Amino acid sequence: KDVQKEREPHVYLSKEEVKEKIQSYNSSVTDKLKMTLNANGIYTGFIKVQMELCRPITVQSSQSQGRCAHSNNETAFYLPAGCVNTLHISSTNTVREVIEALLKKFFVADNPAKFALYKRCHKEDQVYTCKLSDREHPLYLRLVAGPRTEMLSFVLREHETGEVMWEAFSIPELQNFLRILDKEENDQLQILKNRYAAYRGKLEEALRGLLKPG
């Protein structure tokens, strides 16, 4: 179930405590995605993020990188369900930076403000999904929870429509949203038309059978 609750307090660990936790973490890793502690106390590692996007994303071709956004080289499409991406980040990276890095990695042109990062964890035989604050640090959460994704995993979702700050988007972005909504509406309308046309055909065929003489 999804819950909206106060975020858990960030416990500031000493360098020695971080070192011990990283050693424990690395000894439990089974996929070779270990963490590394640097001399300055910052540590790096990997997180996996499951993409649970219901709406289409706008992807910019590699040739159009650096050009004006929302060019003719952009394509809107749905990501396949269950898509999981791995990111190499540091302990200083925030949730907002992780979202931006994910979108940049896959040339997603949509505004990062459209998306939110969630943590999914098991507690008392139940699965909880909680939206993370933009200022939280995913690698710290990964370190504290350990490497087992069934204990803690990360999920990228769109903000609920009512949560989106539409005034933060540019006019081309808003126009692109409208184009996507128009396409979705037309697609759904065509599906309904096809369905009722099939029903009509079956009814007419049944009527012709009943009206045949003899």
Side-chain angles (χ1 to χ4, degrees), residues 10-189:
H10 186 114
V11 179
Y12 290 93
L13 305 173
S14 68
K15 187 174 179 179
E16 191 58 38
E17 288 173 324
V18 169
K19 182 178 179 180
E20 290 176 0
K21 280 191 173 292
I22 289 177
Q23 288 174 344
S24 175
Y25 182 98
N26 289 343
S27 66
S28 303
V29 166
T30 58
D31 55 9
K32 298 183 180 181
L33 300 181
K34 295 184 177 183
M35 293 195 188
T36 303
L37 178 62
N38 300 315
N40 59 4
I42 295 174
Y43 51 96
T44 59
F46 299 85
I47 62 168
K48 295 180 179 180
V49 181
Q50 184 168 353
M51 315 290 272
E52 290 187 356
L53 304 180
C54 300
R55 296 189 285 272
I57 57 171
T58 305
V59 175
Q60 196 172 17
S61 69
S62 57
Q63 289 84 1
S64 61
Q65 295 298 304
R67 298 180 191 170
C68 180
H70 300 281
S71 67
N72 293 331
N73 292 316
E74 292 179 354
T75 306
F77 71 97
Y78 289 91
L79 274 181
C83 179
V84 177
N85 293 300
T86 302
L87 276 182
H88 185 251
I89 62 173
S90 82
S91 55
T92 63
N93 289 133
T94 62
V95 164
R96 180 51 45 190
E97 290 170 334
V98 166
I99 293 173
E100 290 172 354
L102 266 176
L103 301 182
K104 183 178 180 181
K105 182 177 180 180
F106 296 98
F107 304 120
V108 178
D110 298 88
N111 193 312
K114 286 175 59 180
F115 304 93
L117 192 68
Y118 291 75
K119 67 176 180 180
R120 182 178 289 153
C121 53
H122 286 72
K123 286 186 179 180
E124 299 174 357
D125 297 325
Q126 292 194 55
V127 180
Y128 293 90
T129 304
C130 179
K131 186 168 72 173
L132 296 172
S133 161
D134 282 352
R135 295 182 180 180
E136 290 191 76
H137 298 84
L139 195 61
Y140 166 81
L141 298 175
R142 179 78 279 159
L143 175 64
V144 172
R148 294 173 57 191
T149 55
E150 62 267 26
M151 299 304 297
L152 173 75
S153 58
F154 296 104
V155 180
L156 185 72
R157 293 178 177 173
E158 300 98 341
H159 278 296
E160 295 298 326
T161 303
E163 298 177 333
V164 179
M165 298 177 61
W166 296 108
E167 62 273 15
F169 294 90
S170 66
I171 290 176
E173 287 174 322
L174 293 172
Q175 290 172 337
N176 192 50
F177 296 158
L178 288 175
R179 285 195 296 270
I180 291 172
L181 288 173
D182 286 341
K183 183 180 183 302
E184 289 181 339
E185 183 180 4
N186 290 333
D187 289 346
Q188 291 300 317
L189 184 59

